[in-house]
Amino acid sequence: MPELPEVETVRRGLLRLVKGKTIQSVDIIWPKTIEGDNEAAKLILRGRTIEDIERRGKFLLFRLSDNLTLVSHLRMEGKYYTVPVDEPLEKHVCVVFHLDEQIDLWYMDTRKFGRMQLVKTGTETELVPGIRKMGPEPTDADLTVAYLQQIMAKSRKIIKPFLLDQSNLAGLGNIYVDEVLWQTKIHPEQPVDTVTLAEITALRRNIIDELARATEHHGTTVHSYTNAFGEAGSFQNELQAYGRAGEPCMRCGTPLVKIKVAQRGTTYCPKCQVIHE
DNA sequence: GATCTATCCTGGACGC
DNA sequence: TGCGTCCAGGATAGAT
């Protein structure tokens, strides 16, 4: 399930593989992948050159020639692969971009949750709802203690769904939320407005550092995630909470517990992570 | 306005 | 072996 480190890894891989290439034509196998009129999208994409690929949160932004941007979200299992032209289609290929130099770019998605949207470059911050409402990137410059303190004081949510909500901050998903909460010793059901300033400060540090470290490891491979070269990330070997239910906590030895929070599987240490007033 | 819930999807695990 | 059921989860529309 791609979160920010995985999406950033895909972006870097795609830059090496398709930057500067021109789209000759497009086949749309799963129509719902591309929002709106598929036939119009095919016509609009034809002849456009991929000038750059940027990222905002978990969205990939393919900057195309003549001020067009293809906004792509991988959701659960979306993946990009480049293959020789006219390679027989594998199962789960949703969109094929026929590029110049005899290369095809496949968008594959086992669960077909991923979505793409075509917009005029620069309007994605208004026209793509997920980007319009998105909170700051998890970096030292953008994600400040003061900002977190301000929005957390006003929230009546519990911490896990709060951190998963991309309008509060960008980039976290189920895996890394469990990790940073374990690192910061915060219970996933702790009410947001009761988290102390010391905890907010430590949480912010852990979010920024954890996502940067995971990006260095090319992300986490759980289920089927691979980068644009079909390679798996290695950060799953570094995980301390997610997927380790029943195993001893690396801090205190207490068996980690798995519960459901906001419809999401959640692993935490019942001794280190205790709800406080 | 804030929060919660159902929905979209399919492969894999599991029980019978 | 084959079938049915459940689980995984990011974003969002609709309900509360």
Side-chain angles (χ1 to χ4, degrees), chain A residues 182-183 185 240-241 244 246-257 268-274:
Chain A
W182 180 86
Q183 289 171 358
K185 300 184 187 176
Q240 292 154 314
R244 296 191 61 245
E247 296 179 32
C249 170
M250 290 185 178
R251 247 185 329 243
C252 72
T254 304
L256 299 180
V257 170
Y268 75 105
C269 173
K271 188 175 177 191
C272 297
Q273 296 167 262
V274 178

Side-chain angles (χ1 to χ4, degrees), chain A residues 96-276:
Chain A
V96 180
F97 300 88
H98 300 288
L99 307 177
D100 53 2
E101 300 178 32
Q102 302 292 300
I103 289 173
D104 284 351
L105 176 65
W106 284 356
Y107 174 73
M108 294 178 71
D109 195 335
T110 310
R111 295 188 201 174
K112 300 182 169 67
F113 278 4
R115 293 291 179 265
M116 299 178 195
Q117 189 175 346
L118 278 168
V119 296
K120 192 177 169 188
T121 296
T123 65
E124 65 274 1
T125 51
E126 299 160 28
L127 298 181
V128 180
I131 296 179
R132 186 175 65 228
K133 294 187 291 184
M134 190 175 289
E137 292 285 316
T139 61
D140 275 316
D142 294 337
L143 184 65
T144 64
V145 172
Y147 165 78
L148 280 176
Q149 200 179 1
Q150 184 197 341
I151 60 168
M152 289 173 75
K154 290 189 292 190
S155 176
R156 294 290 173 270
K157 282 187 178 178
I158 54 176
I159 189 76
K160 175 146 185 177
F162 176 87
L163 293 176
L164 286 171
D165 186 342
Q166 304 296 298
S167 67
N168 293 321
L169 69 154
L172 285 175
N174 202 43
I175 296 174
Y176 296 114
V177 166
D178 278 9
E179 291 302 300
V180 298
L181 288 177
W182 180 86
Q183 289 171 358
T184 319
K185 300 184 187 176
I186 298 176
H187 191 287
E189 293 177 309
Q190 180 75 40
V192 169
D193 58 350
T194 62
V195 178
T196 67
L197 177 57
E199 287 174 328
I200 293 173
T201 305
L203 178 64
R204 168 188 175 269
R205 185 75 267 142
N206 286 333
I207 290 170
I208 294 169
D209 290 350
E210 181 74 355
L211 293 178
R213 232 160 47 87
T215 304
E216 280 174 28
H217 284 75
H218 305 121
T220 299
T221 297
V222 178
H223 302 304
S224 65
Y225 160 76
T226 55
N227 66 13
F229 299 97
E231 299 164 341
S234 64
F235 201 67
Q236 65 278 8
N237 304 320
E238 309 289 317
L239 298 180
Q240 292 154 314
Y242 180 87
R244 296 191 61 245
E247 296 179 32
C249 170
M250 290 185 178
R251 247 185 329 243
C252 72
T254 304
L256 299 180
V257 170
K258 184 169 184 180
I259 59 173
K260 207 140 204 178
V261 178
Q263 297 177 298
R264 301 288 176 255
T266 301
T267 308
Y268 75 105
C269 173
K271 188 175 177 191
C272 297
Q273 296 167 262
V274 178
I275 297 178
H276 63 74

